[in-house]
Each structure stands twice: as structure tokens, then as C-alpha cells.
Amino acid sequence: MLILKSMANKINNYKLTQEIKSSKINNFDDFLKWKRKISKKLNINMISNIDILSAYKQTRATNKINIIPFFENQLKKRPVRSLSGVAVVAVLTKQWPCPGDCIYCPTEAGIPKSYLSGEPAVERAKLLDFDPYKQVVTRIKSLKQTGHPVDKIELIVIGGTWSYLPKQYQIWFIKKCFDAANQAKSKTLLSAQKKNETAKHRIIGLTLETRPDYINKTEIKRMRKLGCTRVEIGVQSVYDDILEKNNRGHKTKEIIKATKLLKNSGFKICYHMMPGLLGSSIKKDLAMFKQIFTNPVFQPDMLKIYPCVITKGSKLFDIWKNNNYKPYTDEQLIDLIIKIKSITPRYVRINRLIRDIPAWQIEAGSKTSNLREIIQEKMKDMKLKCKCIRCREIKDKQITIKNLKLLNKEYTASDGQEIWLSFNDTKQDKLAAFIRLRLPTNSSTALIRELHTYGQLIEIDSSKQPHKATQHLGLGKKLILAATKIAKQRGCKKMSIIAGIGTREYYRKLGYRLKNTYMIKSL
């Protein structure tokens, strides 16, 4: 740290600001030439990007220079980490017994069931003794050091069936996460959440993962008190015979019930799907995805597609060893996923296409870690396009306000109406922002389940707007106004928003007030 500060001071003493202003850095080649020049003049070894970024930020704060897009975007390690508008921080719970006994699920001593050593999140958690506070602090520090803003955090808690964990452990775990984001300890979870409403690192979304058969009204209330805004449920298949063959322990009716309860409570829903399960087939799996995209009893907002693989410690390993199961080949899997992506609706986001299970842990099945990239290239060659949210996010693309068009898509889901309003750059077919409005049947209260602006994450209090940025352009407010207008026209009397703890101040400025963990406004 002292070396870094010393380097930053050296660079500042050399008047880095003037050097940047006088140099025309438009691409990475220009940057490398400039970096060599600076290093030579300072008579030091080649300066690292992190050192330069640290000095640049320090100089910017001191001299109040304008944001320079190249330095903001190009000096990051993996810029994609904050191009979805939030900084994702994943934390892993310690090992607890699991209520399930699925045949495909790996088991490793000391690791939560279904997770394995070698996965990045698992390795981070192991090094920190599964301490939630340390995991959050370390991740924030890592993202910050590599140039990512960490004002808006999407906290994702992983580790299997959250709802089965001891209730006191749940409260302790989440409180520790908020304490870490707040950089201060609180006596209670409630006080930690209150502090986070105005903290430097605000948790704007909290994701928990669980089984559909553990979702009920009591569990939903408990999740809301923790601050949860999104639930990932292990669906895997929507066929009862496949669920039974793989010893899932629940049927499709539990999936349907959980989906409806969660939507009517305002949650965003992510389905974990597993093509290639014992007893399934390519044809049946494709039909399954058509089902979840078109049948009103399903209709998830997001998907994680985890193709079935064979790992030691699973019952499926023994079945495979006895030649009673054969996983899909890479060619079969790529062809299937291309067909799935080709029919994915524009209002669904495919978050993941493969688990981070390292190749050495996989006995059979796909070991291709860059499956998404391969599929994207093949679809490009085939002149096919995936219309899912992730594939259409604006990311770091240049946008022109006049090219943005407000689109409206309405569909029936879980005995209610879903209205998906989105701002799209019509010239590039890129998504800039969207809102999910739900109108439950027999209710006078409309629900905003999600509001998201894409593009590079911008600091909450930033007054210097990068020329490409879509955040802080008022698109969110415009979407809320459009959703409010529709809700009024449909006869709704109130608007309820399942706001993340760190977004409450934003909604207060729009006239919303906190009531029973939701932000409410009379219409």
C-alpha cells in the first residue's frame, strides 16, 4: 500500500494531469506509448495499470478534471464486471445439511452441497473461513483496486438451500454482509440496513437461492426482512418423471406455486435449469424451455443454465460408471443452447450458461469453460441472434438519446399481468433500461418488481458524467412515470416497489415511503 501511494505521489508530482491532457490517447496502442514515455521520464520500471489508475483518480479528485473515458474504462481488469450497472459480490455460506438428495449433486467435505473446490467463489470463501464479513470486504477491495465503482452492490448469497439454514445463522450472516458494506458494525440487522440506506457501498439488491418446495408466505416474509429482492430457485426440470428419476424431492406443482407466490410479492425470479438430466433428451429439453417461456405458470425473469455433468461424490457418478447414463457431447449441448437462445424472449436474461466447476472435477460431460463465447461465435456465423437481456445490454456502447425508444411488452404470468417497459437504442438494438410492472389479479396494488439501467456503473454522487454512460440520465424516473400511468389506467390505487435497501433513498425522492419492507406510494 505504501509503495502504491509513493508511486501515485511520484506520478502526481510529475503533473500527470497535464500529461494526460496534452496526450491524445484514443486506443490501447496510444496508451502503451504514453506509459513508456512516462516511465522513462520518471526513470522507473514500467508503471502498472493499477498504479496509473490510482494516481489518475487521486489527481482527478484533487484537480477536479473531467472524466476521461479511456482511463475510466480501459484500465479496469475485466470491465464487464460493472457494465451491467451494478458491482456483483457473491458470498458463500458455510456447510450445512441439505434437505435434498438429488442424484446429480456433488458432495465434498467442508463445502456446501452442490459446490466444489476449485470454483472461484468457493476458493475465496475457503481462504476466509466462510466469514461473510471478510468475503464482502475482500471482494469490494478487489473490485475497487481493479478500477470498478462499488457504490451499488448486487449481493448474491450462494450455498444451496438458504431456507433450510438455521434462522439465527441467516440473520447473523446477512447482518455481517451489511456491516461489511457499511464499513461499520451495528447491533442489529435492522440498524445495519438503516445505515446502508446512505452508506458509501449500498446493497441495492440481495439474492438468495433455495428450493421451490421451501417457498411459502412465512418464508417470503422472512426473506423480505433480510432485504432479499431476488430469489433463485432450483427448478432443473418441469417434468415430474424427470424430477422423480433424479430424486429431486418435489414436483412441478411446487415450482408453479413458488413462482406465483414470489411474483405476487414482487420478487425477481431466476430459474436454475439443468438440461441433460437422467431420463431426458435433447428433444425433451428443448420442449422444456419452450414451456417455461410460453406457459403462463412459469415465465421466469432470468435463467441460469447448468448442463448436467458427472462429478465424483454424486450418485449419478455410479450410474454413469455402470453405463446407465450418458451426458451430452459438446456438439449436442452447443446445438441445444443455440436453439434455446434463439427462442428466449426479450424480457428474460440468461445470467449463466455453465457452472464454474473446474475441468479436473468433471469426470464426464462438458468441460468447456468458454461455452458462451463459442455459442456466440457460432450464432454469429449462422446469422442468428439471441434476444435475451444480457445479449442486448448497452454495456459501453455510445448512445444517442434521440435513438432511444420506449417499448411495451405485456404478457400473462402466474394469474397476473406482467408489463415490461424498456428503453431501447433502435439503431443498435441495444437495451438501455427497463422496468417490470406486475398487476396481480384481484388486487388494487401494482408492483414494480425490477428497475434497471444498464451501462457502466456510475458512482451515486458523481456529477461528472462519462459521455457514453446511460446511468443518471433520468431513464429510471421516466420508466417509473410510464409504469405509474399504466397502473392508474388499470384502476390501481397504490404502487409497491420491492426496493433493495440501498435504493430506498432514491425512491424517497420520488415520493415513496417505507412500509412493511416495501416502498409504497398512493396513486
Side-chain angles (χ1 to χ4, degrees), residues 227-472:
C228 179
T229 54
R230 182 173 87 194
V231 177
E232 298 190 1
I233 51 176
V235 170
Q236 319 308 356
S237 176
V238 296
Y239 300 122
D240 283 346
D241 60 331
I242 301 299
L243 291 171
E244 189 174 348
K245 253 182 190 176
N246 289 271
N247 205 25
R248 182 61 187 159
H250 66 76
K251 293 188 176 181
T252 308
K253 64 179 182 180
E254 280 82 19
I255 299 168
I256 294 168
K257 181 183 176 183
T259 301
K260 183 176 178 179
L261 283 172
L262 289 167
K263 282 184 179 174
N264 282 341
S265 298
F267 288 91
K268 299 177 283 290
I269 302 173
C270 178
Y271 278 7
H272 288 197
M273 304 301 298
M274 191 171 285
L277 285 169
L278 179 68
S280 195
S281 65
I282 295 288
K283 184 178 179 181
K284 198 163 187 175
D285 281 338
L286 181 59
M288 174 175 72
F289 280 91
K290 287 178 180 177
Q291 271 270 338
I292 65 169
F293 292 146
T294 59
N295 192 329
V297 300
F298 300 119
Q299 295 277 12
D301 307 305
M302 306 168 197
L303 290 178
K304 285 185 177 179
I305 302 174
Y306 293 149
C308 189
V309 294
I310 308 298
T311 58
K312 284 183 178 178
S314 69
K315 293 180 179 179
L316 191 58
F317 175 79
D318 296 325
I319 297 171
W320 167 73
K321 287 287 282 184
N322 291 325
N323 296 316
N324 291 319
Y325 170 76
K326 188 178 180 181
Y328 294 156
T329 64
D330 272 358
E331 291 75 18
Q332 288 175 312
L333 196 55
I334 288 168
D335 182 63
L336 172 63
I337 294 176
I338 285 174
K339 288 174 180 174
I340 291 167
K341 284 174 74 66
S342 298
I343 61 171
T344 303
R346 297 171 72 88
Y347 49 83
V348 173
R349 189 179 196 271
I350 301 178
N351 292 347
R352 298 287 295 275
L353 277 182
I354 196 166
R355 273 278 297 272
D356 279 332
I357 299 174
W360 60 270
Q361 290 274 28
I362 299 172
E363 297 295 322
S366 181
K367 298 182 181 182
T368 308
S369 59
N370 63 331
L371 194 66
R372 184 185 284 270
E373 288 79 9
I374 292 171
I375 288 168
Q376 285 174 332
E377 284 301 311
K378 192 161 184 181
M379 288 186 77
K380 189 177 178 181
D381 293 340
M382 297 168 71
K383 293 182 168 49
L384 294 173
K385 279 189 177 182
C386 176
K387 296 177 182 178
C388 94
I389 290 172
R390 178 167 175 169
C391 288
R392 294 188 304 109
E393 292 171 14
I394 197 76
K395 292 188 170 69
D396 59 348
K397 299 285 186 184
Q398 176 73 53
I399 65 162
T400 305
I401 298 297
K402 67 179 182 180
N403 291 338
L404 291 180
K405 184 179 180 181
L406 181 63
L407 302 180
N408 181 324
K409 170 65 180 177
E410 185 169 345
Y411 58 98
T412 302
S414 301
D415 294 328
Q417 289 302 112
E418 293 286 336
I419 299 167
W420 194 70
L421 302 172
S422 60
F423 274 114
N424 296 263
D425 186 315
T426 53
K427 295 288 183 181
Q428 305 178 82
D429 190 26
K430 291 295 181 182
L431 179 64
F434 72 85
I435 195 168
R436 295 187 194 274
L437 173 68
R438 179 166 176 80
L439 305 175
T441 303
N442 302 322
S443 175
S444 61
T445 301
L447 293 165
I448 290 178
R449 300 195 297 117
E450 183 174 14
L451 174 64
H452 201 123
T453 300
Y454 285 105
Q456 177 58 55
L457 171 55
I458 303 301
E459 296 172 10
I460 292 168
D461 297 322
S462 176
S463 57
K464 299 165 186 173
Q465 186 79 3
H467 71 290
K468 290 183 181 180
T470 53
Q471 293 198 349
H472 298 188

Side-chain angles (χ1 to χ4, degrees), residues 149-251:
V150 282
D151 293 53
K152 305 166 191 172
I153 293 171
E154 175 73 51
L155 183 69
I156 300 177
V157 181
I158 56 178
T161 307
W162 171 267
S163 305
Y164 192 69
L165 303 183
K167 302 303 178 278
Q168 284 305 116
Y169 176 77
Q170 291 182 11
I171 295 168
W172 173 84
F173 191 96
I174 299 300
K175 178 189 169 295
K176 285 288 185 180
C177 291
F178 275 101
D179 283 346
N182 294 338
Q183 298 177 313
K185 294 181 180 179
S186 298
K187 288 185 177 180
T188 66
L189 172 59
L190 197 62
S191 59
Q193 289 175 336
K194 181 66 179 173
K195 195 171 288 183
N196 191 253
E197 291 179 9
T198 54
K200 185 178 180 181
H201 308 300
R202 299 181 196 177
I203 297 176
I204 56 94
L206 170 57
T207 298
L208 301 173
E209 59 177 22
T210 192
R211 291 168 57 98
D213 49 328
Y214 273 75
I215 293 296
N216 52 50
K217 289 182 180 180
T218 302
E219 180 60 14
I220 283 173
K221 286 180 182 177
R222 187 180 293 114
M223 285 179 162
R224 282 302 300 140
K225 285 182 179 178
L226 296 174
C228 179
T229 54
R230 182 173 87 194
V231 177
E232 298 190 1
I233 51 176
V235 170
Q236 319 308 356
S237 176
V238 296
Y239 300 122
D240 283 346
D241 60 331
I242 301 299
L243 291 171
E244 189 174 348
K245 253 182 190 176
N246 289 271
N247 205 25
R248 182 61 187 159
H250 66 76
K251 293 188 176 181

